[in-house]
């Protein structure tokens, strides 16, 4: 099934061997002419979206929906295959995500699925959707092992295995860290995976871990864990959780006099972190492929259009979702069909040269993104580039 091995891809041999299959598209409006069968005009592609649209992490899902809706409008104004997005709210719950996936696959007969939002949800629905032969692409699922679920599973979310080590390295270099405390939510698959990545990254950097403290999703009281951490005086604290818990951890930590830098995982990448934590979020670090102030024409155009439509700056989740629909649409066009799931899968797997708002993008042989992270620092309530 694989189009070519990772070795080939890394050596760049594939670029020559498969140049006929390459696809070059640009976010904000430009797609190359399809190289396969020219799609008939006005076919409709039904794409299911499973998203965290209500409950404690709904800001992630809302951003994702806004990014997708904006991309859909732009794409439908010019492309032959028209996209219809069928939204299902999973509330961040595995059982709801499974029900949504079954409905989209069996009842709505979607050609592909975008989502779900959380890695834990993807671990629950991925095997079902993959087994049904429906391509599914996570735009925010960053845990280890997501695409190992199967060959129909893709993601354009930057994996924590790439993001976390780059944030840790920058923090270590800049702040000359020697000791750290780790904290994570132990009933969230993404957070547990991120914790393991943090642990490896800090050990690789030669740091000493003075404490490892856990909590659960929806917890609101972190005083016991943070009182212990305060007494151990680490040089930094690393937190793997969604924004709600992360923001409350930051608030409590500052209250207890813990002034050191906090390094977060992908859960930190929502403006909700600053909204809930206020000034307690100052100094938090996180790696992301998205930086809205980037000096890049595509990024500027997207940020302006998004601001005009939604009256706010797009966050990472909006940007990755926006790119994801462009990637899906380019793959649909290239497959020449609005309904053939297998053709869409194979076409997606061939995306190698996509220029999106989150940068230059390709799927590697394991259907993970090849893209770069920027380390961001919360300063004056904004994500700024950490230099
Ligand atoms: C995951 C994540 C979350 C932060 C998405 C909202 O990265 O679950 O994988």
């Amino acid at each position: 099934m694989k189009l070519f091995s990772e070795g080939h891809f890394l050596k760049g041999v594939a670029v020559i061997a498969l140049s006929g299959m390459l696809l070059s598209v640009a976010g904000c409006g430009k797609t190359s002419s399809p190289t396969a069968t020219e799609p008939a005009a006005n076919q409709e592609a039904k794409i299911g979206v499973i998203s965290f649209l209500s409950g404690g992490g709904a800001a992630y899902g809302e951003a994702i929906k806004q990014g997708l809706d904006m991309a859909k409008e732009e794409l439908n104004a010019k492309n032959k295959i028209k996209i219809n997005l069928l939204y299902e709210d999973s509330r961040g719950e595995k059982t709801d995500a499974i029900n949504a996936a079954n409905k989209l696959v069996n009842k709505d007969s979607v050609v592909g699925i975008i989502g779900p939002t959380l890695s834990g949800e993807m671990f629950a629905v991925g095997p079902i959707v993959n087994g049904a032969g429906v391509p599914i692409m996570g735009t925010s699922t960053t845990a280890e092992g997501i695409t190992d679920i199967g060959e129909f599973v893709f993601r354009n979310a930057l994996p924590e295995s790439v993001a976390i080590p780059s944030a840790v390295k920058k923090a270590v270099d800049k702040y000359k860290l020697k000791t750290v405390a780790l904290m994570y939510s132990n009933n969230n698959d993404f957070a547990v995976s991120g914790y393991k990545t943090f642990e490896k990254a800090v050990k690789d950097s030669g740091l000493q871990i003075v404490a490892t403290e856990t909590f659960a999703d929806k917890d609101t009281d972190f005083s016991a864990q943070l009182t212990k951490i305060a007494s151990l005086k680490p040089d930094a604290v690393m937190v793997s959780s969604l924004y709600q818990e992360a923001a409350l951890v930051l608030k409590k930590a500052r209250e207890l006099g813990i002034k050191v830098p906090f390094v977060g995982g992908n859960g930190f990448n929502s403006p909700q972190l600053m909204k809930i934590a206020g000034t307690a979020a100052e100094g938090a670090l996180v790696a992301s492929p998205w930086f809205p102030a980037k000096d890049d024409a595509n990024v500027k155009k997207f940020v302006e259009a998004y601001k005009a439509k939604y009256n706010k700056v797009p966050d990472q989740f909006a940007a990755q979702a926006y790119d994801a629909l462009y990637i899906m649409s380019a793959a649909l066009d290239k497959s020449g069909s609005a309904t053939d799931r297998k053709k869409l899968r194979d076409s997606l797997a061939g995306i190698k040269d996509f220029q999106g708002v989150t940068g230059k993008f390709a799927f590697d042989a394991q259907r993970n993104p090849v893209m770069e992270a920027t380390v961001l620092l919360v300063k004056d309530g904004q994500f700024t580039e950490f230099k």
Side-chain angles (χ1 to χ4, degrees), residues 35-52:
T35 52
T37 343
E38 187 73 24
N42 294 327
Q43 294 181 70
E44 183 192 78
K46 282 195 275 184
I47 297 174
V49 182
I50 306 173
S51 204
F52 195 160

Side-chain angles (χ1 to χ4, degrees), residues 234-256:
D235 297 334
V237 183
M238 321 252 154
V239 183
S240 183
S241 75
L242 300 182
Y243 64 72
Q244 192 96 355
E245 295 79 25
L248 297 179
V249 163
L250 281 161
K251 263 183 124 165
K252 190 73 199 174
R254 302 312 189 202
E255 254 172 64
L256 291 171

Side-chain angles (χ1 to χ4, degrees), residues 52 57 60 64 117-120 140-143 146 160 188 190-191 241-242 266-268 317:
F52 195 160
Y60 295 127
I64 288 168
T117 306
L118 304 180
S119 290
S140 56
T141 40
T142 59
I146 290 288
E160 290 285 53
N188 178 300
F190 142 77
S241 75
L242 300 182
N266 194 42
F268 275 44
F317 296 91

Side-chain angles (χ1 to χ4, degrees), residues 4-204:
F4 44 78
S5 72
E6 189 169 33
H8 274 154
F9 174 65
L10 291 174
K11 284 180 204 131
V13 174
V15 175
I16 302 157
L18 292 170
S19 59
M21 296 178 69
L22 288 185
L23 197 60
S24 173
V25 294
C28 297
K30 277 168 266 138
T31 42
S32 68
S33 53
T35 52
T37 343
E38 187 73 24
N42 294 327
Q43 294 181 70
E44 183 192 78
K46 282 195 275 184
I47 297 174
V49 182
I50 306 173
S51 204
F52 195 160
L53 293 169
S54 62
Y60 295 127
E62 187 195 332
I64 288 168
K65 184 171 186 303
Q66 290 178 341
L68 290 174
D69 285 344
M70 205 174 112
K72 185 188 93 166
E73 273 177 32
E74 293 173 5
L75 289 160
N76 282 355
K78 58 175 195 243
N79 281 8
K80 287 193 176 142
I81 295 184
K82 304 298 176 199
I83 290 166
N84 181 7
L85 296 175
L86 279 62
Y87 283 99
E88 293 290 332
D89 180 8
S90 67
R91 304 186 303 125
E93 299 288 341
K94 291 182 186 180
T95 46
D96 292 60
I98 289 171
N99 291 339
N102 281 323
K103 175 176 176 288
L104 292 168
V105 166
N106 301 315
K107 207 161 151 266
D108 299 327
S109 303
V110 296
V111 65
I113 293 177
I114 289 180
T117 306
L118 304 180
S119 290
E121 297 176 289
M122 183 63 109
F123 287 126
V125 308
I128 299 168
V129 177
N130 185 71
V134 178
I136 179 164
M137 175 155 72
T139 70
S140 56
T141 40
T142 59
E144 195 78 15
I146 290 288
T147 60
D148 296 343
I149 295 169
E151 63 190 7
F152 282 78
V153 181
F154 295 78
R155 62 170 151 187
N156 77 321
L158 183 70
E160 290 285 53
S161 58
V162 177
I164 286 176
S166 69
V168 168
K169 191 179 176 308
K170 272 218 154 163
V172 170
D173 291 351
K174 177 93 178 195
Y175 297 124
K176 311 279 174 250
L177 307 178
K178 296 210 163 38
T179 60
V180 289
L182 304 182
M183 294 183 78
Y184 68 100
S185 170
N186 63 8
N187 68 344
N188 178 300
D189 295 298
F190 142 77
V192 172
S193 173
Y195 153 67
K196 288 181 185 153
T197 307
F198 265 122
E199 188 189 33
K200 182 170 185 309
V202 299
K203 282 186 178 162
D204 287 350

Side-chain angles (χ1 to χ4, degrees), residues 346-364:
D346 292 348
S347 178
L348 268 174
I351 299 263
K352 294 291 170 214
D353 190 14
F354 175 83
Q355 183 63 47
V357 297
T358 55
K360 216 169 145 322
F361 174 91
F363 282 119
D364 71 10

